[in-house]
Structure formats: C-alpha cells, structure tokens
Amino acid sequence: RKRGLAGVIATQRLAKLAKNVAAEASNFLMGRTFLDIDMARAADLLGMERRQAEQIRDLERGRFLGLGPAVSRRPIAVRIGAVRTGSRAVSHALAPLPSASAEELQALLHAAPSADELAAPPPQPVRAPEPELLAERISAFDTAEAETPGFQAPPAPDAAESEREIAAILAEMAAEPDCTFQQPAALYQDFSVRCRMRRLRLDGFDVTRFRRAFAVAVAGIDPADPAWGDLLGLVRDLPEDVLAPFLLLARAAQEGAPCPDDEDLARAYGTTSMGRIRRLLDHFEKSGLIVIRTDYSGRRSIGIPLLGTTTEPMLA
C-alpha cells in the first residue's frame, strides 16, 4: 500500500479467505453463493442482517452486491456487462534451432560493419550541469525575479499562523464526504499538497501526527480551544485508528449532546459495517473507556469515566 499498489482478490469460498487478506480490501463484490457459512461471512462484510443475506442465493449470473468507496456506501445491486476482450487463439510453438553452421556463425560475428552503420555516428551523452553552475543559474533566476518591477514575494507565515492554517486545512478535509474511507497515505499526500499551496512548512508533521490531528478534525474538535485540552491529553495513548469515534463520543458527553448514532460513528471510523461499530463499542467498554446504558425504550447513553460526563439518551 505504501507504494501505491492495490491487489484484486477473487475467491469462490469467502469463508476460507483469511481475515488478514479481507481486512486490506476496500471494495467488495459479492456474487451468488449457497453455503450458510459463506453467506454469514458475506453478510458480516456487507453490514447486513443474516435474514437479508438470503438474497445472495437469488442473484443471477453477472449480478453482484457491491460495497465500498468506489461503488457505494450502502450495499447495492451491481450488474457486470458482457466481456469485451477475448483470446486471439494463437498457438505458441517452439522455434526451430538455428541451422547455420559453425563457420557461418563465426563469419557473422567477425564481419566488418556496413557503410550505413559507419555513416551514423553514435549519439553523444548529455552531461548534467555541474552543481556550482546549477546553483549559479538558480541564484540568477531568483535575483532576476526579485528585481522584476511589481514583484513582491509573499511573506512566510509564522508558527502561530501556520498552526491555524493547518487546522483550517484539516477541517476542510474532514468536511468532505467519504474522507474517512480513504487510505491514510492518500489523505496525507492530499494534506501535503494543500500545505505546499499555502507555503506552509511541515517540519516534524509526519503521518502519525497527521492521523491524530485528522481524527481530531473529524470529531469536530478545535485543538486550539482550551476547553478541549484535558480531553486531548487523556487520549494521548489511544491508537489513531479508533481515536475519531471515541473523540466523537467524548465531545457529545462533554457538551451534554445526544449520543451519536451508529452511522455517525461508522463515518468517523471509516466503515459501513454496523457490526464493526458494535464490536468497537464493546472494545471501548471492556477497556474501561466508556460505559453504555440503555433504558427500557431502547435509547442509548454513553458515559466517559475519564471525564465524568454522560451523553444525552438517544436511539442507537
């Protein structure tokens, strides 16, 4: 993934596919299958109920259930068109061995070059400019540009202004739809380009720091606001991949807002599987980060022991 390569995995037995392999895939096309364990695995990947997975048995030939950033955020029916390419039906055979004699091969190796080969001189290699000459050319170009009438180089922003600009860029990226469904490397590259367009330096702002700052922006938290200083200090050791949904819950608890539903948490987590969100909440509760309460009407409220606050009850 760090080299920009993606794999295409095809299998007839989804249940036999290793979870480490399936976890790296972002887009899924589920075809017709009949075994109960395969349908259960497909329903789990698509975020469907087990009774809804019965429609996988009724899929026609060439029809699939598609899900992923390249297809849709919800499972939809996809029809694959007719095949446009085909085999050329060319039979490959071994080439016969050379029939020339040893004397003819020796004469061919020691033959003098022809007149056409002697007429065309070999191309001369192009030498790269010396480093001193290249530095002089760059300096001369900068001097000529600075002496141009009306030219004024924009001042570089200071540290405080750079922090505000970076926070604004992260907020812009977090507001874009489906931003959390992209790979961290692609997001960091987009972030770097936006910073260079605004003449911002990224000294020490590596991918790990970007992922934490982007998770804070996805949760809608302003890191410059002193009200969130204690919360950001408490989640310093929390992994980056689960930071955004936890901050979303903590923000609602600190503001006394209604508890975020599963769809909001799924968007912050970068998934469309409601089952994965439920497992994430169970992991948070077992780790002692949250306390889940559900009343008799089915409304859910989540408490944050680290903050001593609780969200308002809301239907999950």
Side-chain angles (χ1 to χ4, degrees):
R1 182 167 55 190
K2 67 180 181 180
R3 294 177 176 85
L5 301 178
V8 179
I9 307 166
T11 178
Q12 292 181 336
R13 289 297 314 281
L14 186 60
K16 295 180 64 177
L17 184 64
K19 292 185 178 180
N20 291 336
V21 179
E24 298 294 336
S26 300
N27 302 284
F28 299 93
L29 289 176
M30 304 295 179
R32 180 175 55 189
T33 185
F34 294 95
L35 292 180
D36 52 351
I37 55 176
D38 290 338
M39 290 192 301
R41 183 76 177 277
D44 185 54
L45 287 176
L46 295 176
M48 302 169 58
E49 299 293 338
R50 297 301 171 88
R51 61 178 181 273
Q52 296 176 347
E54 296 293 333
Q55 60 179 318
I56 300 179
R57 291 179 175 176
D58 301 330
L59 291 175
E60 300 177 0
R61 183 179 181 181
R63 292 188 178 274
F64 297 82
L65 291 180
L67 176 68
V71 184
S72 174
R73 296 182 60 182
R74 295 290 182 272
I76 61 173
V78 179
R79 181 180 179 275
I80 305 300
V83 179
R84 297 185 179 181
T85 60
S87 174
R88 295 184 179 180
V90 178
S91 60
H92 300 279
L94 295 176
L97 295 174
S99 58
S101 60
E103 291 78 7
E104 293 176 348
L105 292 176
Q106 186 177 6
L108 182 61
L109 289 174
H110 296 281
S114 61
D116 296 336
E117 295 175 350
L118 295 175
Q124 296 294 331
V126 179
R127 295 185 59 185
E130 298 294 335
E132 295 79 5
L133 180 60
L134 185 61
E136 292 177 3
R137 292 179 180 178
I138 295 176
S139 178
F141 176 78
D142 294 338
T143 304
E145 187 179 27
E147 294 177 354
T148 303
F151 174 80
Q152 184 177 3
D158 54 4
E161 186 177 356
S162 297
E163 293 292 336
R164 290 192 296 269
E165 290 286 342
I166 290 176
I169 293 175
L170 292 172
E172 292 175 2
M173 296 177 61
E176 296 178 355
D178 300 337
C179 62
T180 55
F181 294 90
Q182 301 183 24
Q183 299 295 336
L187 289 173
Y188 183 72
Q189 184 178 7
D190 185 17
F191 170 73
S192 302
V193 172
R194 299 190 187 201
C195 290
R196 289 198 299 269
M197 293 295 294
R198 301 189 186 185
R199 296 172 56 85
L200 298 176
R201 298 178 62 88
L202 295 177
D203 297 337
F205 209 102
D206 54 359
V207 179
T208 303
R209 184 180 175 187
F210 163 76
R211 293 184 64 183
R212 301 192 69 86
F214 183 70
V216 173
V218 170
I221 295 177
D222 184 8
D225 191 350
W228 305 107
D230 296 338
L231 174 61
L232 296 179
L234 292 174
V235 299
R236 188 172 302 169
D237 298 331
L238 201 65
E240 295 85 5
D241 54 343
V242 298
L243 183 60
F246 179 77
L247 287 178
L248 197 63
L249 294 172
R251 176 192 173 191
Q254 187 163 341
E255 294 178 348
C259 179
D261 56 9
D262 290 346
E263 292 185 358
D264 294 336
L265 295 176
R267 178 189 177 275
Y269 192 45
T271 183
T272 57
S273 174
M274 298 298 106
R276 186 174 297 178
I277 291 300
R278 288 189 288 270
R279 291 191 295 270
L280 178 64
L281 294 177
D282 293 340
H283 170 69
F284 283 161
E285 190 170 21
K286 292 178 181 178
S287 302
L289 297 175
I290 63 174
V291 177
I292 302 177
R293 300 185 181 92
T294 305
D295 56 14
Y296 293 105
S297 60
R299 298 188 306 171
R300 181 181 67 190
S301 61
I302 294 180
I304 310 295
L306 296 176
L307 301 175
T309 55
T310 306
T311 62
E312 290 293 327
M314 186 177 181
L315 287 175

